[in-house]
Amino acid sequence: MSEAPAFSILALSILFLLALFIGRMITHIRLPRVTGYLLTGIIAGPSLAGWLDIPPIIGAMALEKFHVISEVALVLILLSIGMRFRVEFLQRWRSRILVFSLTEIIITCLTVFVLVIIVNQFYISQIIDISNLDNISSFNIAVFLSILAIATAPAATLLVIREYESEGPVTDAVTTLVGINNLVTIIVFNIAVSFMHSSDISLNNLLLPIFVPILTGGTIGFIMSIWAQRLEQDQEFQLLILGGSISVWGICNLLGYDFLLGSFACGLILVNSSPKSERIFNATKQFDYALYVVFFVLAGASFHLDDLPHIGILGIIYIFGRIIGKLLGCRIGAVMGRFSTIEQKWIGFAMLSQAGVAIGLCNSLSSMGAPGEEIISTVVLGSVVVFELIGPISVRFGLVRAGEVPLLTLLAKKASIGSFEVLFQVINYFRSSIGIPKGHNVDNAEEILVKHIMRTNVNTIRDNTPFEELLHFISHSRYDRFPIVDKEGNFVGVIDYSDIRNIIFNPILSNLVLAVDLVKEVSLVTYPDKTVSDVLDIFKKHKDISYLPVVEESSPDKLLGIICQNDVLAVFRKK
């Protein structure tokens, strides 16, 4: 082995360990681990080292060698986003999610476009001195910046959701909106490139960059679905997903088309054509985290910190315009899509991250030598530093305030173990492993209460909901019991899935029945100050239920949240 590869591998090992250390340390100040991974890259990369005039842990040449790893990670990220687009899952929103997404996209685009046009007209000649300034179209720059502003970083968003075990309506909507954002960005970007940077604007030039990657990814995804039927072990599914996703990347690159769109299409077709898609998705989650860490560390190392002073007013306006556009667009989109008040208030905060897709498209623009690409690249790459540092924090803020992160998860992120306690645990475990007896200590779960692990953002059903609409809601829900509220929002009871079986096949009754007609007396509820042991006893006695409503003990008509059997069991597993 030559010296250069050995040094690169050693640098990569240092990055993994440094990411582990900083990722753990960053949680003590209640920040997501993703932020720690990005900081790891910035600390280890050449940009900060150049400022401090010290040798970097990972230099420009090593970054170039590891570029392929970043692209493979990006392929898996887009494939995972595509695999969240299960058609039957999307049907529960019907057209509402499209109304939401298109409203947010249009408002974000228009906000950035108008602000950039104004700044270009009055300030660009004073900000950036480029010899061919006369050939640079202000309109051109504004169009591409407004398109790139749509993209939301899928990796940062997904990792924060996974880290904080977020679950609920806001989480579901965010993952779907992120996918739509990036899909629209990639398609509109390719169309804009064909219009603005091609002398031969034909139907083929417009459609080929879109349909070739979709056809490539969709075909490979369908082949993977067929192959998956003959597989049984998780390791086999992991090999399938790696081989298939890298095939999409390789074929799209060989054909000269965008692999991001192909990867998304591969995941979309795979999840909707394979009966084993859930097993494939879970098998992927067992190995993809390390690749994501490498992606964020290398992204941090690739940040051009020296671009920050040069983005000037144009860059500041882009950052400001994108933040305002996303927050305002999500607020108005949620209202127009008839989403709940909680979703209207907090989804926008989970949509601010920006990284991989925007960087990838920006690099594509640079490779074309397009007019104005230097300005666009400087603004986008400089702003990505800002958005990737504040984005994960904003995602965490939105999900926590929406009530979809259990309090116990936040407490666990905040809790720390002293060095002596860690050493004591290791010594005790080693002593037990070699057969030296020791006393047993069982932690007491009595200190963990329902309010620590319940989820406060709950999908409820109005008591005047017609049966057909109720059936549609139930068919796309993860629950087996459904809280019913009156027009004032007071909790009136629950409907079990078993309660509707006799009505499904009776068209006469189904046209007459409302939700209130199926409500049963609430006998199985719990209270926020009950212990998880109390709740576990209820689940043991009633094996046919997996969720319990949480109500206020002094006011049983006030629904505070729900508690899931899996979350309760997870507490005891962690203990």
Side-chain angles (χ1 to χ4, degrees):
M1 182 180 289
S2 62
E3 183 178 348
F7 182 79
S8 297
I9 292 173
L10 180 61
L12 187 61
S13 68
I14 294 173
L15 289 178
F16 270 120
L17 296 174
L18 193 60
L20 176 63
F21 175 75
I22 296 179
R24 286 288 300 173
M25 294 301 296
I26 207 79
T27 59
H28 295 326
I29 56 174
R30 305 181 70 177
L31 294 179
R33 282 186 170 88
V34 174
T35 304
Y37 301 149
L38 289 165
L39 289 175
T40 301
I42 292 173
I43 293 169
S47 186
L48 183 62
W51 274 13
L52 300 177
D53 197 23
I54 58 175
I57 296 176
I58 181 168
M61 290 184 63
L63 280 176
E64 185 67 27
K65 292 178 182 178
F66 295 140
H67 179 68
V68 65
I69 301 178
S70 293
E71 290 204 343
V72 170
L74 195 54
V75 167
L76 286 173
I77 292 165
L78 266 296
L79 187 138
S80 296
I81 288 289
M83 290 189 70
R84 292 175 182 270
F85 273 65
R86 189 183 293 275
V87 173
E88 62 179 6
F89 181 72
L90 293 176
Q91 285 176 347
R92 71 172 182 172
W93 284 304
R94 296 179 179 173
S95 61
R96 295 191 302 128
I97 194 69
L98 294 179
V99 172
F100 187 156
S101 183
L102 291 177
T103 304
E104 178 261 316
I105 288 171
I106 291 170
I107 291 177
T108 301
C109 269
L110 287 178
T111 304
V112 173
F113 180 82
V114 171
L115 290 177
V116 169
I117 281 287
I118 293 172
V119 170
N120 278 346
Q121 291 296 328
F122 293 100
Y123 294 105
I124 191 170
S125 60
Q126 303 175 29
I127 297 171
I128 302 176
D129 182 19
I130 300 177
S131 58
N132 63 341
L133 190 61
D134 294 336
N135 297 324
I136 298 174
S137 166
S138 174
F139 179 80
N140 192 357
I141 293 172
V143 165
F144 279 105
L145 286 179
S146 63
I147 292 172
L148 293 171
I150 301 170
T152 302
T157 308
L158 291 182
L159 254 66
V160 172
I161 289 172
R162 186 188 298 188
E163 178 183 352
Y164 288 93
E165 301 172 5
S166 181
E167 180 183 301
V170 169
T171 304
D172 293 340
V174 165
T175 54
T176 304
L177 291 169
V178 168
I180 297 175
N181 269 197
N182 290 299
L183 180 62
V184 171
T185 302
I186 296 168
I187 292 175
V188 175
F189 176 86
N190 282 292
I191 293 173
V193 166
S194 298
F195 268 109
M196 295 187 175
H197 301 298
S198 175
S199 57
D200 179 21
I201 301 176
S202 63
L203 191 61
N204 283 342
N205 286 338
L206 287 175
L207 297 182
L208 285 179
I210 297 172
F211 284 103
V212 170
I214 290 177
L215 182 61
T216 302
T219 302
I220 292 176
F222 191 73
I223 294 172
M224 291 168 65
S225 299
I226 298 172
W227 201 342
Q229 289 302 100
R230 306 183 66 87
L231 306 180
E232 292 298 334
Q233 297 182 354
D234 286 345
Q235 296 88 335
E236 293 176 321
F237 290 122
Q238 291 167 8
L239 291 174
L240 178 68
I241 205 75
L242 274 175
S245 58
I246 295 174
S247 295
V248 175
W249 170 75
I251 293 173
C252 287
N253 277 320
L254 287 174
L255 295 176
Y257 293 109
D258 191 351
F259 68 87
L260 299 176
L261 190 55
S263 304
F264 183 91
C266 181
L268 178 66
I269 296 299
L270 179 60
V271 75
N272 287 290
S273 60
S274 174
K276 295 186 177 180
S277 58
E278 194 66 31
R279 288 197 61 187
I280 296 172
F281 187 75
N282 291 332
T284 305
K285 289 171 66 175
Q286 295 175 19
F287 74 88
D288 62 356
Y289 195 85
L291 280 174
Y292 288 178
V293 172
V294 173
F295 174 81
F296 283 110
V297 171
L298 295 180
S302 302
F303 281 167
H304 299 275
L305 297 178
D306 49 340
D307 283 341
L308 283 176
H310 300 294
I311 64 173
I313 295 177
L314 185 61
I316 294 172
I317 286 297
Y318 173 78
I319 293 171
F320 175 78
R322 185 174 181 272
I323 292 174
I324 296 300
K326 287 287 182 183
L327 294 178
L328 185 62
C330 286
R331 188 65 180 259
I332 296 175
V335 172
M336 294 185 65
R338 292 177 285 112
F339 284 75
S340 71
T341 304
I342 292 177
E343 290 159 310
Q344 293 171 23
K345 290 174 65 175
W346 305 118
I347 286 180
F349 291 96
M351 300 291 291
L352 295 183
S353 290
Q354 187 175 50
V357 174
I359 293 172
L361 295 178
C362 210
N363 290 339
S364 298
L365 199 63
S366 299
S367 65
M368 302 172 190
E373 61 86 10
E374 291 183 22
I375 298 176
I376 296 169
S377 296
T378 300
V379 169
V380 172
L381 295 178
S383 63
V384 159
V385 180
V386 177
F387 283 122
E388 275 302 83
L389 290 176
I390 69 171
I393 301 171
S394 181
V395 175
R396 176 193 181 279
F397 173 78
L399 297 177
V400 170
R401 294 303 297 268
E404 299 190 359
V405 177
L407 180 58
L408 184 64
T409 300
L410 293 176
L411 295 175
K413 302 301 175 192
K414 187 178 179 182
S416 60
I417 302 176
S419 300
F420 286 106
E421 187 177 352
V422 170
L423 180 62
F424 180 75
Q425 290 175 350
V426 171
I427 292 174
N428 271 335
Y429 185 81
F430 178 71
R431 181 176 62 183
S432 174
S433 298
I434 62 177
I436 301 176
K438 66 182 184 70
H440 297 281
N441 180 32
V442 179
D443 289 334
N444 189 2
E446 293 294 330
E447 62 190 35
I448 301 176
L449 305 178
V450 167
K451 64 184 177 184
H452 294 149
I453 60 174
M454 72 179 186
R455 301 179 191 272
T456 58
N457 190 17
V458 186
N459 273 326
T460 56
I461 301 174
R462 283 282 300 274
D463 57 0
N464 62 350
T465 301
F467 181 77
E468 288 298 325
E469 188 176 337
L470 172 67
L471 193 62
H472 179 269
F473 177 90
I474 290 173
S475 64
H476 299 290
S477 174
R478 65 172 63 89
Y479 306 147
D480 56 9
R481 307 182 81 213
F482 311 98
I484 309 299
V485 297
D486 60 21
K487 62 181 180 180
E488 284 82 25
N490 296 320
F491 179 52
V492 297
V494 297
I495 295 177
D496 285 346
Y497 186 76
S498 57
D499 296 331
I500 67 169
R501 290 175 185 167
N502 296 330
I503 303 177
I504 292 177
F505 301 106
N506 191 328
I508 298 177
L509 285 179
S510 63
N511 291 329
L512 301 174
V513 170
L514 300 177
V516 68
D517 300 319
L518 300 173
V519 173
K520 63 168 55 176
E521 183 182 350
V522 185
S523 58
L524 292 176
V525 296
T526 188
Y527 309 110
D529 291 325
K530 290 290 185 179
T531 67
V532 292
S533 296
D534 296 331
V535 176
L536 187 61
D537 288 338
I538 297 176
F539 285 131
K540 285 180 179 179
K541 293 176 183 176
H542 302 275
K543 300 184 184 298
D544 58 329
I545 64 171
S546 57
Y547 292 86
L548 281 176
V550 182
V551 298
E552 198 168 280
E553 193 163 9
S554 59
S555 180
D557 62 344
K558 185 174 182 181
L559 182 66
L560 302 177
I562 59 167
I563 186 167
C564 168
Q565 186 180 46
N566 287 338
D567 288 339
V568 174
L569 294 175
V571 170
F572 287 91
R573 283 197 296 269
K574 291 175 183 178
K575 282 294 186 182

